[in-house]
Amino acid sequence: MMKRIKKNKENAALLVRYANPKSKSKPTEEEVLEILYRHIPYCGTRPAIKSFTVSRFNRNKIIKCAYFVVELDNGKTYEISAYQDLKGRTPEQKEEDKTADYPSGLFTIFHTEIKAPEKEPEQVTEKETAENPENESVKIHGLYSLANCACLEVHIEEGYDPFIMWRLSIVDSEKPQKWHKAKIYDTAKGRQYFKYGKIKIYLDEVMRV
């Protein structure tokens, strides 16, 4: 068991090192693919990975996080996330800033399937556009990567709280996408997010532009 825990921590650290843009010793794509391949869920024949991309990398004084978008040959897309605890933190420090429950050991690499929304989200209506002409040319404040060919464009404005506006952006798509409204929620720890289908999009993970 201890060997397995140690191996999982090493694999998570390797994925984080690959995603870190400032890393001076990146692992090879073959090493990354091998780890991602082992964390793809399947039933029956194991699918093959068509492509993978780094969607984002986060770091604070507590932990490093890496996120990958993995496209399979069966048409499914997954987000694989990896977490690496930073060294030098005592149990007292972890308890003080409530990080004692951060992922560790066996729980360092996770997967989440990326699905399109099951129903059409609420759209900005013609009436609202007439009342607010700026809706026709909404300023983009941030981007959230869904895959290597799609992302969410996000509009965040003080006067619009507790709602934000978002739209899907697809590479090489000439058809303009419509803006949608989404309510902003808060977690118990104060993180803000909105829902894209069943996916929670945390505002602190939206890349500002």
Side-chain angles (χ1 to χ4, degrees):
M1 177 63 75
M2 293 305 296
K3 288 184 178 179
R4 185 180 175 190
I5 291 176
K6 182 179 179 182
K7 186 63 176 177
N8 280 342
K9 285 186 175 182
E10 291 174 352
N11 288 340
L14 185 146
L15 292 180
V16 168
R17 195 166 78 246
Y18 182 87
N20 186 352
K22 295 184 179 179
S23 175
K24 295 181 180 179
S25 58
K26 288 183 180 291
T28 65
E29 288 191 5
E30 288 72 19
E31 291 176 302
V32 174
L33 270 171
E34 183 181 350
I35 297 172
L36 295 177
Y37 187 67
R38 290 203 299 268
H39 288 84
I40 293 297
Y42 71 98
C43 180
T45 304
R46 185 189 288 269
I49 295 178
K50 288 176 58 180
S51 65
F52 76 90
T53 56
V54 177
S55 59
R56 57 198 186 282
F57 169 81
N58 295 330
R59 172 179 179 156
N60 55 36
K61 64 180 181 179
I62 299 166
I63 201 168
K64 295 178 184 177
C65 312
Y67 301 85
F68 296 78
V69 174
V70 181
E71 297 183 355
L72 308 180
D73 63 354
N74 62 4
K76 292 187 176 182
T77 302
Y78 284 89
E79 179 181 73
I80 303 295
S81 53
Y83 302 85
Q84 180 185 9
D85 290 326
L86 300 185
K87 297 180 180 179
R89 297 185 56 73
T90 65
E92 290 75 17
Q93 287 175 317
K94 292 183 178 182
E95 180 61 30
E96 183 181 354
D97 53 26
K98 308 299 181 185
T99 58
D101 58 348
Y102 264 70
S104 61
L106 292 175
F107 307 103
T108 51
I109 303 177
F110 301 86
H111 68 264
T112 304
E113 185 174 358
I114 299 175
K115 294 182 178 180
E118 294 183 350
K119 62 179 181 179
E120 184 70 11
E122 182 183 359
Q123 297 183 2
V124 177
T125 64
E126 292 182 5
K127 181 176 181 294
E128 289 173 318
T129 300
E131 295 174 351
N132 301 281
E134 67 273 14
N135 286 350
E136 294 183 351
S137 56
V138 177
K139 183 177 180 180
I140 299 170
H141 292 135
L143 301 173
Y144 182 89
S145 176
L146 295 173
N148 60 354
C149 60
C151 70
L152 294 183
E153 296 177 337
V154 179
H155 171 80
I156 306 172
E157 193 170 339
E158 269 185 47
Y160 223 82
D161 205 29
F163 292 90
I164 61 96
M165 296 172 65
W166 66 265
R167 69 178 179 184
L168 184 65
S169 177
I170 303 174
V171 175
D172 296 332
S173 174
E174 297 181 358
K175 183 180 178 181
Q177 302 295 313
K178 293 182 179 180
W179 285 98
H180 307 278
K181 289 192 298 184
K183 183 178 179 181
I184 295 177
Y185 300 89
D186 291 281
T187 66
K189 292 186 177 182
R191 292 184 73 191
Q192 294 187 314
Y193 68 91
F194 67 93
K195 292 182 179 179
Y196 171 70
K198 292 185 177 180
I199 302 175
K200 292 182 179 180
I201 308 296
Y202 291 95
L203 296 187
D204 58 9
E205 295 181 351
V206 174
M207 184 176 67
R208 301 281 177 163
V209 296

